[in-house]
Amino acid sequence: MGSFANTKDLGSAQLTIQGTTIDLPLFEGSENEKAIDIRALRKETGAITYDPGFVNTGCCLSDITYIDGEKGILRYRGYDINELAEHCEFIDVAYLLIHGKLPDDEQHNQFSRHLNSHSLLHEDMRHFFDAYPDHAHPMATLSAMAVSLSTFYPELEDVSIQENIDYKVTRLLSKLRTAAAFSYKKSIGHPIVYPKRSLKYCENFLNMMFWTPVNDYDVDPVLAKALNKLLILHADHEQNCSASVVKMVGSAGANLYASIAAGICALWGPLHGGANQHVIEMLQRILSDDGGDVKRVIERSKDKNDPFRLMGVGHRVYKSYDPRAKVAKQMCKDVLARTGTTDPLLDLALQLEEAVLADDYFVSRGLYPNIDFYTGLTYRAMGIPTNMFTVMFAIGRMPGWIAQWLEMREDPDGRIGRPRQIYTGPVQRSVK
Ligand code: SDX
């Protein structure tokens, strides 16, 4: 849990407002990020801060994830993303984010067994899919499944709060992965495939997605490794939009399932996790409508009068190359090589990236490819359909959302989230 015990006191910052000067505590975290503690601001000056999108505003102290946007650094609990992606399984990283340390062999095996034993959906929940139209977006069903877990698996009276949380964590990580595969099978009219005890987390997902009674699908270990890496890349990312929504809902006392369901909906937005689906759709349109004319696309994306935006480019925090995009780019090439296929959309994406990196409009604004620029291409190379890409992001982000929610709930400074505003509407007037 984030704590002032791990910060360094830097004295104070002085603020003068209309002749009144106040001292506000100044401190820095373990990576020398500086912050002004403005908790006394309104009481002492009557003023509040104004910061649309919270670009300059920190909402908490956190021990979970650290990003250096200028240097393109991402660490979970102090471990660099490249090391975790190379040497760990996704469930190890999920354990790390939630418990603060990597599991030893026994803890890994026990966690894997728990995830397997909670991998089935309640049969009544399985029938939810019968009521959805085939074209239902799987992010809608995933959010509905998340909040519905609270009705099928209410709080257990005879166990501790911690055990209740452990059950919720395991169910969210395991059952939502199963629900994601079920929604895909429903969308293509195939019989659903149940999880198998003999398969590990990622292998089980691939088997549930691609095995059919007439296609004896064998999980390719290279694709399973690629899926582990992709989920690790997505596992957490500080106070991003969807994590902030999970915490905002949780700060009101709502249960973890309801908080996660809200986070899934936030992630669905095209400016956030939905970008990975929109990148592919953008690349397909560029090929079909513009004949792959990269120059024209770049000019359109710089034209303020043109609503077109380059999806998968730019980031609120990274003003350098997103370290996750580097890993995803190489993985896309590896998976295509493994499957012996090529993808004209990857060739186009590489041309677009080259044009972005050479154009001062983007470089001067710190606009580089982000995680969503290549991950969709990798999922596509694995045979995962476009409308499932953001679901894959949600499965990966699940442990990060859970870890952020738990940290918020344990925070002694934690309060219900309720930003203020400055009113600019009509002053008092009478109906008569
Ligand atoms: C994710 O927060 C996280 O950590 C998110 C995430 C995670 O892991 O949780 O990393 C996942 O959401 C990645 C981002 C996916 N979204 C996209 O790829 C959509 C395309 N990108 C943009 O819409 C935008 O870059 C955002 C939404 C990502 C960031 O928006 P900001 O920080 O509010 O930046 P902005 O819109 O104010 O842009 C700053 C400038 C503007 O130009 P000027 O006003 O300075 O002239 O950069 C321009 C923008 O017009 N700009 C772009 C652009 N993105 C920003 N111009 C062209 N194409 C783009 N993609």
Side-chain angles (χ1 to χ4, degrees), residues 237 240 270-273 275 301 304 309-316 319 324 361-362 365 367 370-372 393 397:
H237 217 238
N240 60 85
L271 295 185
H272 192 13
S301 71
K304 296 302 178 194
R309 187 157 266 208
L310 264 185
M311 300 313 278
V313 170
H315 198 277
R316 170 65 55 78
K319 299 309 172 191
R324 304 168 297 177
Y361 169 90
F362 296 94
R365 291 170 172 80
L367 300 174
N370 60 50
I371 187 166
D372 294 310
F393 194 141
R397 185 54 52 90

PDB file of all heavy atoms in Angstrom, residues 237 240 270-273 275 301 304 309-316 319 324 361-362 365 367 370-372 393 397, ligand 1:
ATOM      1  N   HIS A 237      -1.111  -0.288 -15.263  1.00  0.00           N
ATOM      2  CA  HIS A 237      -0.512   0.912 -15.865  1.00  0.00           C
ATOM      3  C   HIS A 237      -0.828   2.164 -15.051  1.00  0.00           C
ATOM      4  O   HIS A 237      -1.306   3.159 -15.578  1.00  0.00           O
ATOM      5  CB  HIS A 237      -0.975   1.083 -17.310  1.00  0.00           C
ATOM      6  CG  HIS A 237       0.123   1.623 -18.184  1.00  0.00           C
ATOM      7  ND1 HIS A 237       0.012   2.784 -18.891  1.00  0.00           N
ATOM      8  CD2 HIS A 237       1.363   1.153 -18.436  1.00  0.00           C
ATOM      9  CE1 HIS A 237       1.130   3.021 -19.550  1.00  0.00           C
ATOM     10  NE2 HIS A 237       1.969   2.050 -19.284  1.00  0.00           N
ATOM     11  N   ASN A 240      -4.478   4.827 -14.917  1.00  0.00           N
ATOM     12  CA  ASN A 240      -5.126   5.031 -16.222  1.00  0.00           C
ATOM     13  C   ASN A 240      -6.631   5.152 -16.051  1.00  0.00           C
ATOM     14  O   ASN A 240      -7.168   4.922 -14.971  1.00  0.00           O
ATOM     15  CB  ASN A 240      -4.759   3.873 -17.140  1.00  0.00           C
ATOM     16  CG  ASN A 240      -5.212   2.538 -16.564  1.00  0.00           C
ATOM     17  OD1 ASN A 240      -6.342   2.142 -16.746  1.00  0.00           O
ATOM     18  ND2 ASN A 240      -4.348   1.892 -15.804  1.00  0.00           N
ATOM     19  N   PRO A 270     -12.743   4.018 -27.352  1.00  0.00           N
ATOM     20  CA  PRO A 270     -11.708   3.980 -28.398  1.00  0.00           C
ATOM     21  C   PRO A 270     -10.461   4.792 -28.038  1.00  0.00           C
ATOM     22  O   PRO A 270      -9.387   4.558 -28.578  1.00  0.00           O
ATOM     23  CB  PRO A 270     -12.407   4.580 -29.621  1.00  0.00           C
ATOM     24  CG  PRO A 270     -13.577   5.312 -29.095  1.00  0.00           C
ATOM     25  CD  PRO A 270     -13.991   4.601 -27.819  1.00  0.00           C
ATOM     26  N   LEU A 271     -10.558   5.730 -27.113  1.00  0.00           N
ATOM     27  CA  LEU A 271      -9.358   6.487 -26.730  1.00  0.00           C
ATOM     28  C   LEU A 271      -8.515   5.701 -25.725  1.00  0.00           C
ATOM     29  O   LEU A 271      -7.403   6.082 -25.397  1.00  0.00           O
ATOM     30  CB  LEU A 271      -9.747   7.843 -26.131  1.00  0.00           C
ATOM     31  CG  LEU A 271     -10.433   8.828 -27.077  1.00  0.00           C
ATOM     32  CD1 LEU A 271     -10.655  10.163 -26.378  1.00  0.00           C
ATOM     33  CD2 LEU A 271      -9.623   9.036 -28.348  1.00  0.00           C
ATOM     34  N   HIS A 272      -9.073   4.627 -25.214  1.00  0.00           N
ATOM     35  CA  HIS A 272      -8.409   3.809 -24.178  1.00  0.00           C
ATOM     36  C   HIS A 272      -8.188   2.404 -24.737  1.00  0.00           C
ATOM     37  O   HIS A 272      -7.607   2.268 -25.812  1.00  0.00           O
ATOM     38  CB  HIS A 272      -9.271   3.852 -22.899  1.00  0.00           C
ATOM     39  CG  HIS A 272      -8.630   3.322 -21.655  1.00  0.00           C
ATOM     40  ND1 HIS A 272      -7.301   3.050 -21.519  1.00  0.00           N
ATOM     41  CD2 HIS A 272      -9.173   3.023 -20.454  1.00  0.00           C
ATOM     42  CE1 HIS A 272      -7.048   2.613 -20.291  1.00  0.00           C
ATOM     43  NE2 HIS A 272      -8.174   2.576 -19.619  1.00  0.00           N
ATOM     44  N   GLY A 273      -8.677   1.389 -24.082  1.00  0.00           N
ATOM     45  CA  GLY A 273      -8.404   0.028 -24.542  1.00  0.00           C
ATOM     46  C   GLY A 273      -9.043  -0.312 -25.865  1.00  0.00           C
ATOM     47  O   GLY A 273      -8.568  -1.194 -26.595  1.00  0.00           O
ATOM     48  N   ALA A 275      -8.803   1.195 -28.423  1.00  0.00           N
ATOM     49  CA  ALA A 275      -7.940   1.637 -29.529  1.00  0.00           C
ATOM     50  C   ALA A 275      -7.381   0.455 -30.299  1.00  0.00           C
ATOM     51  O   ALA A 275      -7.181   0.541 -31.521  1.00  0.00           O
ATOM     52  CB  ALA A 275      -6.813   2.517 -28.999  1.00  0.00           C
ATOM     53  N   SER A 301      -4.063  13.294 -40.278  1.00  0.00           N
ATOM     54  CA  SER A 301      -4.017  13.190 -38.795  1.00  0.00           C
ATOM     55  C   SER A 301      -3.461  14.467 -38.167  1.00  0.00           C
ATOM     56  O   SER A 301      -3.670  14.718 -36.982  1.00  0.00           O
ATOM     57  CB  SER A 301      -3.173  11.987 -38.389  1.00  0.00           C
ATOM     58  OG  SER A 301      -1.807  12.225 -38.660  1.00  0.00           O
ATOM     59  N   LYS A 304      -6.133  19.892 -38.062  1.00  0.00           N
ATOM     60  CA  LYS A 304      -7.052  20.118 -36.928  1.00  0.00           C
ATOM     61  C   LYS A 304      -8.498  20.157 -37.386  1.00  0.00           C
ATOM     62  O   LYS A 304      -9.414  19.985 -36.593  1.00  0.00           O
ATOM     63  CB  LYS A 304      -6.704  21.433 -36.227  1.00  0.00           C
ATOM     64  CG  LYS A 304      -5.321  21.459 -35.579  1.00  0.00           C
ATOM     65  CD  LYS A 304      -5.149  20.365 -34.562  1.00  0.00           C
ATOM     66  CE  LYS A 304      -3.757  20.381 -33.962  1.00  0.00           C
ATOM     67  NZ  LYS A 304      -3.455  19.145 -33.213  1.00  0.00           N
ATOM     68  N   ARG A 309      -8.001  10.710 -36.418  1.00  0.00           N
ATOM     69  CA  ARG A 309      -6.880  10.626 -35.471  1.00  0.00           C
ATOM     70  C   ARG A 309      -6.181   9.291 -35.701  1.00  0.00           C
ATOM     71  O   ARG A 309      -6.820   8.270 -35.916  1.00  0.00           O
ATOM     72  CB  ARG A 309      -7.418  10.736 -34.041  1.00  0.00           C
ATOM     73  CG  ARG A 309      -6.350  10.821 -32.998  1.00  0.00           C
ATOM     74  CD  ARG A 309      -6.826  11.471 -31.709  1.00  0.00           C
ATOM     75  NE  ARG A 309      -6.546  12.906 -31.663  1.00  0.00           N
ATOM     76  CZ  ARG A 309      -6.366  13.547 -30.478  1.00  0.00           C
ATOM     77  NH1 ARG A 309      -6.489  12.903 -29.355  1.00  0.00           N
ATOM     78  NH2 ARG A 309      -6.088  14.836 -30.461  1.00  0.00           N
ATOM     79  N   LEU A 310      -4.861   9.286 -35.620  1.00  0.00           N
ATOM     80  CA  LEU A 310      -4.092   8.047 -35.789  1.00  0.00           C
ATOM     81  C   LEU A 310      -4.265   7.199 -34.528  1.00  0.00           C
ATOM     82  O   LEU A 310      -3.708   7.510 -33.477  1.00  0.00           O
ATOM     83  CB  LEU A 310      -2.607   8.362 -35.952  1.00  0.00           C
ATOM     84  CG  LEU A 310      -2.033   8.453 -37.350  1.00  0.00           C
ATOM     85  CD1 LEU A 310      -0.530   8.653 -37.257  1.00  0.00           C
ATOM     86  CD2 LEU A 310      -2.348   7.210 -38.165  1.00  0.00           C
ATOM     87  N   MET A 311      -5.047   6.139 -34.630  1.00  0.00           N
ATOM     88  CA  MET A 311      -5.263   5.292 -33.450  1.00  0.00           C
ATOM     89  C   MET A 311      -3.995   4.497 -33.151  1.00  0.00           C
ATOM     90  O   MET A 311      -3.256   4.121 -34.053  1.00  0.00           O
ATOM     91  CB  MET A 311      -6.432   4.344 -33.703  1.00  0.00           C
ATOM     92  CG  MET A 311      -7.737   5.049 -33.989  1.00  0.00           C
ATOM     93  SD  MET A 311      -8.085   6.380 -32.827  1.00  0.00           S
ATOM     94  CE  MET A 311      -8.768   5.430 -31.476  1.00  0.00           C
ATOM     95  N   GLY A 312      -3.710   4.277 -31.866  1.00  0.00           N
ATOM     96  CA  GLY A 312      -2.500   3.559 -31.481  1.00  0.00           C
ATOM     97  C   GLY A 312      -1.277   4.445 -31.397  1.00  0.00           C
ATOM     98  O   GLY A 312      -0.170   3.974 -31.163  1.00  0.00           O
ATOM     99  N   VAL A 313      -1.502   5.784 -31.573  1.00  0.00           N
ATOM    100  CA  VAL A 313      -0.359   6.722 -31.487  1.00  0.00           C
ATOM    101  C   VAL A 313      -0.680   7.786 -30.436  1.00  0.00           C
ATOM    102  O   VAL A 313      -1.802   8.273 -30.363  1.00  0.00           O
ATOM    103  CB  VAL A 313      -0.111   7.388 -32.855  1.00  0.00           C
ATOM    104  CG1 VAL A 313       0.892   8.532 -32.738  1.00  0.00           C
ATOM    105  CG2 VAL A 313       0.384   6.356 -33.870  1.00  0.00           C
ATOM    106  N   GLY A 314       0.297   8.109 -29.634  1.00  0.00           N
ATOM    107  CA  GLY A 314       0.116   9.122 -28.589  1.00  0.00           C
ATOM    108  C   GLY A 314      -0.231   8.495 -27.260  1.00  0.00           C
ATOM    109  O   GLY A 314      -0.780   7.396 -27.204  1.00  0.00           O
ATOM    110  N   HIS A 315       0.101   9.198 -26.198  1.00  0.00           N
ATOM    111  CA  HIS A 315      -0.179   8.673 -24.849  1.00  0.00           C
ATOM    112  C   HIS A 315      -0.116   9.818 -23.845  1.00  0.00           C
ATOM    113  O   HIS A 315       0.692  10.741 -23.982  1.00  0.00           O
ATOM    114  CB  HIS A 315       0.857   7.601 -24.471  1.00  0.00           C
ATOM    115  CG  HIS A 315       0.426   6.732 -23.346  1.00  0.00           C
ATOM    116  ND1 HIS A 315       0.582   7.101 -22.030  1.00  0.00           N
ATOM    117  CD2 HIS A 315      -0.188   5.533 -23.335  1.00  0.00           C
ATOM    118  CE1 HIS A 315       0.096   6.152 -21.257  1.00  0.00           C
ATOM    119  NE2 HIS A 315      -0.390   5.194 -22.010  1.00  0.00           N
ATOM    120  N   ARG A 316      -0.958   9.730 -22.826  1.00  0.00           N
ATOM    121  CA  ARG A 316      -0.956  10.777 -21.809  1.00  0.00           C
ATOM    122  C   ARG A 316       0.362  10.811 -21.042  1.00  0.00           C
ATOM    123  O   ARG A 316       0.856  11.878 -20.700  1.00  0.00           O
ATOM    124  CB  ARG A 316      -2.121  10.512 -20.829  1.00  0.00           C
ATOM    125  CG  ARG A 316      -2.134  11.363 -19.574  1.00  0.00           C
ATOM    126  CD  ARG A 316      -2.336  12.836 -19.869  1.00  0.00           C
ATOM    127  NE  ARG A 316      -3.507  13.157 -20.646  1.00  0.00           N
ATOM    128  CZ  ARG A 316      -4.738  13.199 -20.166  1.00  0.00           C
ATOM    129  NH1 ARG A 316      -4.971  12.860 -18.920  1.00  0.00           N
ATOM    130  NH2 ARG A 316      -5.742  13.553 -20.937  1.00  0.00           N
ATOM    131  N   LYS A 319       5.847  10.049 -23.427  1.00  0.00           N
ATOM    132  CA  LYS A 319       6.225  11.041 -24.454  1.00  0.00           C
ATOM    133  C   LYS A 319       7.456  10.511 -25.174  1.00  0.00           C
ATOM    134  O   LYS A 319       8.278  11.253 -25.671  1.00  0.00           O
ATOM    135  CB  LYS A 319       6.479  12.397 -23.797  1.00  0.00           C
ATOM    136  CG  LYS A 319       5.252  12.948 -23.072  1.00  0.00           C
ATOM    137  CD  LYS A 319       3.998  12.944 -23.938  1.00  0.00           C
ATOM    138  CE  LYS A 319       2.730  13.316 -23.188  1.00  0.00           C
ATOM    139  NZ  LYS A 319       1.510  13.046 -23.992  1.00  0.00           N
ATOM    140  N   ARG A 324       6.013  -1.186 -24.116  1.00  0.00           N
ATOM    141  CA  ARG A 324       5.170  -2.353 -24.394  1.00  0.00           C
ATOM    142  C   ARG A 324       4.984  -2.531 -25.900  1.00  0.00           C
ATOM    143  O   ARG A 324       4.871  -3.655 -26.406  1.00  0.00           O
ATOM    144  CB  ARG A 324       3.817  -2.178 -23.705  1.00  0.00           C
ATOM    145  CG  ARG A 324       3.896  -1.934 -22.200  1.00  0.00           C
ATOM    146  CD  ARG A 324       2.578  -1.486 -21.645  1.00  0.00           C
ATOM    147  NE  ARG A 324       2.170  -0.192 -22.212  1.00  0.00           N
ATOM    148  CZ  ARG A 324       1.002   0.394 -21.928  1.00  0.00           C
ATOM    149  NH1 ARG A 324       0.144  -0.195 -21.115  1.00  0.00           N
ATOM    150  NH2 ARG A 324       0.692   1.559 -22.462  1.00  0.00           N
ATOM    151  N   TYR A 361       5.705  17.021 -36.378  1.00  0.00           N
ATOM    152  CA  TYR A 361       4.413  17.237 -35.699  1.00  0.00           C
ATOM    153  C   TYR A 361       4.287  16.236 -34.548  1.00  0.00           C
ATOM    154  O   TYR A 361       3.908  16.588 -33.436  1.00  0.00           O
ATOM    155  CB  TYR A 361       3.247  17.034 -36.671  1.00  0.00           C
ATOM    156  CG  TYR A 361       1.886  16.985 -35.986  1.00  0.00           C
ATOM    157  CD1 TYR A 361       1.129  18.134 -35.769  1.00  0.00           C
ATOM    158  CD2 TYR A 361       1.385  15.760 -35.501  1.00  0.00           C
ATOM    159  CE1 TYR A 361      -0.090  18.083 -35.118  1.00  0.00           C
ATOM    160  CE2 TYR A 361       0.167  15.699 -34.848  1.00  0.00           C
ATOM    161  CZ  TYR A 361      -0.569  16.861 -34.656  1.00  0.00           C
ATOM    162  OH  TYR A 361      -1.780  16.815 -33.991  1.00  0.00           O
ATOM    163  N   PHE A 362       4.644  14.987 -34.803  1.00  0.00           N
ATOM    164  CA  PHE A 362       4.488  13.935 -33.794  1.00  0.00           C
ATOM    165  C   PHE A 362       5.631  13.980 -32.777  1.00  0.00           C
ATOM    166  O   PHE A 362       5.415  13.954 -31.563  1.00  0.00           O
ATOM    167  CB  PHE A 362       4.433  12.558 -34.475  1.00  0.00           C
ATOM    168  CG  PHE A 362       3.230  12.387 -35.364  1.00  0.00           C
ATOM    169  CD1 PHE A 362       3.322  12.658 -36.716  1.00  0.00           C
ATOM    170  CD2 PHE A 362       2.013  12.008 -34.832  1.00  0.00           C
ATOM    171  CE1 PHE A 362       2.211  12.533 -37.538  1.00  0.00           C
ATOM    172  CE2 PHE A 362       0.889  11.873 -35.643  1.00  0.00           C
ATOM    173  CZ  PHE A 362       0.988  12.149 -37.002  1.00  0.00           C
ATOM    174  N   ARG A 365       5.446  16.718 -30.233  1.00  0.00           N
ATOM    175  CA  ARG A 365       4.395  16.523 -29.223  1.00  0.00           C
ATOM    176  C   ARG A 365       4.594  15.236 -28.408  1.00  0.00           C
ATOM    177  O   ARG A 365       3.741  14.881 -27.599  1.00  0.00           O
ATOM    178  CB  ARG A 365       3.030  16.493 -29.913  1.00  0.00           C
ATOM    179  CG  ARG A 365       2.596  17.839 -30.495  1.00  0.00           C
ATOM    180  CD  ARG A 365       1.366  17.703 -31.379  1.00  0.00           C
ATOM    181  NE  ARG A 365       0.858  19.012 -31.780  1.00  0.00           N
ATOM    182  CZ  ARG A 365       1.375  19.742 -32.768  1.00  0.00           C
ATOM    183  NH1 ARG A 365       2.457  19.265 -33.433  1.00  0.00           N
ATOM    184  NH2 ARG A 365       0.879  20.918 -33.094  1.00  0.00           N
ATOM    185  N   LEU A 367       4.541  12.165 -29.556  1.00  0.00           N
ATOM    186  CA  LEU A 367       3.536  11.183 -29.996  1.00  0.00           C
ATOM    187  C   LEU A 367       4.238  10.002 -30.652  1.00  0.00           C
ATOM    188  O   LEU A 367       4.838  10.139 -31.722  1.00  0.00           O
ATOM    189  CB  LEU A 367       2.567  11.828 -30.989  1.00  0.00           C
ATOM    190  CG  LEU A 367       1.781  13.039 -30.465  1.00  0.00           C
ATOM    191  CD1 LEU A 367       0.982  13.676 -31.591  1.00  0.00           C
ATOM    192  CD2 LEU A 367       0.869  12.648 -29.320  1.00  0.00           C
ATOM    193  N   ASN A 370       1.785   3.511 -29.247  1.00  0.00           N
ATOM    194  CA  ASN A 370       1.548   3.010 -27.888  1.00  0.00           C
ATOM    195  C   ASN A 370       1.202   1.531 -27.958  1.00  0.00           C
ATOM    196  O   ASN A 370       1.220   0.936 -29.043  1.00  0.00           O
ATOM    197  CB  ASN A 370       0.434   3.820 -27.211  1.00  0.00           C
ATOM    198  CG  ASN A 370      -0.884   3.738 -27.962  1.00  0.00           C
ATOM    199  OD1 ASN A 370      -1.343   2.648 -28.307  1.00  0.00           O
ATOM    200  ND2 ASN A 370      -1.480   4.879 -28.261  1.00  0.00           N
ATOM    201  N   ILE A 371       0.859   0.955 -26.826  1.00  0.00           N
ATOM    202  CA  ILE A 371       0.665  -0.499 -26.754  1.00  0.00           C
ATOM    203  C   ILE A 371      -0.347  -1.005 -27.760  1.00  0.00           C
ATOM    204  O   ILE A 371      -0.230  -2.101 -28.288  1.00  0.00           O
ATOM    205  CB  ILE A 371       0.242  -0.923 -25.329  1.00  0.00           C
ATOM    206  CG1 ILE A 371       0.208  -2.465 -25.227  1.00  0.00           C
ATOM    207  CG2 ILE A 371      -1.117  -0.320 -24.935  1.00  0.00           C
ATOM    208  CD1 ILE A 371       0.137  -2.994 -23.840  1.00  0.00           C
ATOM    209  N   ASP A 372      -1.329  -0.136 -28.091  1.00  0.00           N
ATOM    210  CA  ASP A 372      -2.419  -0.622 -28.954  1.00  0.00           C
ATOM    211  C   ASP A 372      -2.037  -0.665 -30.423  1.00  0.00           C
ATOM    212  O   ASP A 372      -2.780  -1.226 -31.233  1.00  0.00           O
ATOM    213  CB  ASP A 372      -3.645   0.274 -28.766  1.00  0.00           C
ATOM    214  CG  ASP A 372      -4.204   0.129 -27.355  1.00  0.00           C
ATOM    215  OD1 ASP A 372      -4.400  -1.019 -26.935  1.00  0.00           O
ATOM    216  OD2 ASP A 372      -4.369   1.147 -26.665  1.00  0.00           O
ATOM    217  N   PHE A 393      -7.418  -7.209 -23.811  1.00  0.00           N
ATOM    218  CA  PHE A 393      -6.815  -6.157 -22.985  1.00  0.00           C
ATOM    219  C   PHE A 393      -7.396  -6.263 -21.560  1.00  0.00           C
ATOM    220  O   PHE A 393      -6.667  -6.233 -20.564  1.00  0.00           O
ATOM    221  CB  PHE A 393      -7.139  -4.787 -23.590  1.00  0.00           C
ATOM    222  CG  PHE A 393      -6.326  -3.628 -23.053  1.00  0.00           C
ATOM    223  CD1 PHE A 393      -5.889  -2.627 -23.889  1.00  0.00           C
ATOM    224  CD2 PHE A 393      -6.024  -3.504 -21.707  1.00  0.00           C
ATOM    225  CE1 PHE A 393      -5.156  -1.535 -23.414  1.00  0.00           C
ATOM    226  CE2 PHE A 393      -5.293  -2.424 -21.208  1.00  0.00           C
ATOM    227  CZ  PHE A 393      -4.856  -1.443 -22.067  1.00  0.00           C
ATOM    228  N   ARG A 397      -5.563  -6.810 -18.046  1.00  0.00           N
ATOM    229  CA  ARG A 397      -5.588  -5.732 -17.052  1.00  0.00           C
ATOM    230  C   ARG A 397      -6.266  -6.111 -15.743  1.00  0.00           C
ATOM    231  O   ARG A 397      -6.122  -5.425 -14.727  1.00  0.00           O
ATOM    232  CB  ARG A 397      -6.296  -4.508 -17.676  1.00  0.00           C
ATOM    233  CG  ARG A 397      -6.316  -3.242 -16.861  1.00  0.00           C
ATOM    234  CD  ARG A 397      -4.985  -2.718 -16.363  1.00  0.00           C
ATOM    235  NE  ARG A 397      -3.961  -2.565 -17.353  1.00  0.00           N
ATOM    236  CZ  ARG A 397      -3.757  -1.457 -18.071  1.00  0.00           C
ATOM    237  NH1 ARG A 397      -4.562  -0.431 -17.916  1.00  0.00           N
ATOM    238  NH2 ARG A 397      -2.766  -1.373 -18.926  1.00  0.00           N
TER     239      ARG A 397
HETATM  240  C1  SDX B   1      -4.260   3.299 -23.682  1.00  0.00           C
HETATM  241  O1  SDX B   1      -3.413   5.970 -19.591  1.00  0.00           O
HETATM  242  C2  SDX B   1      -2.962   4.847 -19.914  1.00  0.00           C
HETATM  243  O2  SDX B   1      -1.992   4.384 -19.322  1.00  0.00           O
HETATM  244  C3  SDX B   1      -3.680   4.135 -21.046  1.00  0.00           C
HETATM  245  C4  SDX B   1      -3.068   2.821 -21.518  1.00  0.00           C
HETATM  246  C5  SDX B   1      -3.116   1.764 -20.438  1.00  0.00           C
HETATM  247  O3  SDX B   1      -2.271   0.835 -20.489  1.00  0.00           O
HETATM  248  O4  SDX B   1      -4.031   1.798 -19.595  1.00  0.00           O
HETATM  249  O5  SDX B   1      -1.712   3.025 -21.904  1.00  0.00           O
HETATM  250  C6  SDX B   1      -3.830   2.255 -22.704  1.00  0.00           C
HETATM  251  O6  SDX B   1      -5.349   3.813 -23.556  1.00  0.00           O
HETATM  252  C7  SDX B   1      -3.303   3.744 -24.760  1.00  0.00           C
HETATM  253  C8  SDX B   1      -3.867   4.917 -25.642  1.00  0.00           C
HETATM  254  C9  SDX B   1      -4.812   4.338 -26.684  1.00  0.00           C
HETATM  255  N1  SDX B   1      -5.500   5.441 -27.406  1.00  0.00           N
HETATM  256  C10 SDX B   1      -5.143   5.754 -28.670  1.00  0.00           C
HETATM  257  O7  SDX B   1      -4.226   5.227 -29.291  1.00  0.00           O
HETATM  258  C11 SDX B   1      -6.035   6.843 -29.296  1.00  0.00           C
HETATM  259  C12 SDX B   1      -5.164   7.824 -30.075  1.00  0.00           C
HETATM  260  N2  SDX B   1      -4.428   8.634 -29.103  1.00  0.00           N
HETATM  261  C13 SDX B   1      -4.999   9.861 -28.670  1.00  0.00           C
HETATM  262  O8  SDX B   1      -6.355  10.038 -28.771  1.00  0.00           O
HETATM  263  C14 SDX B   1      -4.296  10.517 -27.472  1.00  0.00           C
HETATM  264  O9  SDX B   1      -2.963  10.478 -27.743  1.00  0.00           O
HETATM  265  C15 SDX B   1      -4.566   9.929 -26.094  1.00  0.00           C
HETATM  266  C16 SDX B   1      -6.021   9.816 -25.806  1.00  0.00           C
HETATM  267  C17 SDX B   1      -3.947   8.585 -25.954  1.00  0.00           C
HETATM  268  C18 SDX B   1      -3.914  10.873 -25.071  1.00  0.00           C
HETATM  269  O10 SDX B   1      -4.647  12.054 -25.088  1.00  0.00           O
HETATM  270  P1  SDX B   1      -4.125  13.351 -24.277  1.00  0.00           P
HETATM  271  O11 SDX B   1      -3.040  12.999 -23.337  1.00  0.00           O
HETATM  272  O12 SDX B   1      -5.338  14.041 -23.738  1.00  0.00           O
HETATM  273  O13 SDX B   1      -3.443  14.205 -25.411  1.00  0.00           O
HETATM  274  P2  SDX B   1      -4.184  15.256 -26.319  1.00  0.00           P
HETATM  275  O14 SDX B   1      -5.398  14.650 -26.948  1.00  0.00           O
HETATM  276  O15 SDX B   1      -4.356  16.508 -25.517  1.00  0.00           O
HETATM  277  O16 SDX B   1      -3.101  15.499 -27.487  1.00  0.00           O
HETATM  278  C19 SDX B   1      -1.994  16.377 -27.299  1.00  0.00           C
HETATM  279  C20 SDX B   1      -1.639  16.872 -28.709  1.00  0.00           C
HETATM  280  C21 SDX B   1      -2.827  17.514 -29.427  1.00  0.00           C
HETATM  281  O17 SDX B   1      -2.302  18.416 -30.395  1.00  0.00           O
HETATM  282  P3  SDX B   1      -2.102  20.005 -29.995  1.00  0.00           P
HETATM  283  O18 SDX B   1      -3.410  20.445 -29.363  1.00  0.00           O
HETATM  284  O19 SDX B   1      -0.938  20.024 -29.046  1.00  0.00           O
HETATM  285  O20 SDX B   1      -1.812  20.677 -31.330  1.00  0.00           O
HETATM  286  O21 SDX B   1      -1.264  15.737 -29.530  1.00  0.00           O
HETATM  287  C22 SDX B   1      -2.216  15.599 -30.595  1.00  0.00           C
HETATM  288  C23 SDX B   1      -3.462  16.375 -30.186  1.00  0.00           C
HETATM  289  O22 SDX B   1      -4.184  16.801 -31.326  1.00  0.00           O
HETATM  290  N3  SDX B   1      -2.502  14.149 -30.720  1.00  0.00           N
HETATM  291  C24 SDX B   1      -2.628  13.504 -31.871  1.00  0.00           C
HETATM  292  C25 SDX B   1      -2.836  12.154 -31.512  1.00  0.00           C
HETATM  293  N4  SDX B   1      -2.842  12.025 -30.178  1.00  0.00           N
HETATM  294  C26 SDX B   1      -2.635  13.264 -29.688  1.00  0.00           C
HETATM  295  N5  SDX B   1      -2.589  13.941 -33.165  1.00  0.00           N
HETATM  296  C27 SDX B   1      -2.754  12.985 -34.119  1.00  0.00           C
HETATM  297  N6  SDX B   1      -2.967  11.640 -33.854  1.00  0.00           N
HETATM  298  C28 SDX B   1      -3.008  11.218 -32.573  1.00  0.00           C
HETATM  299  N7  SDX B   1      -3.214   9.897 -32.302  1.00  0.00           N
END
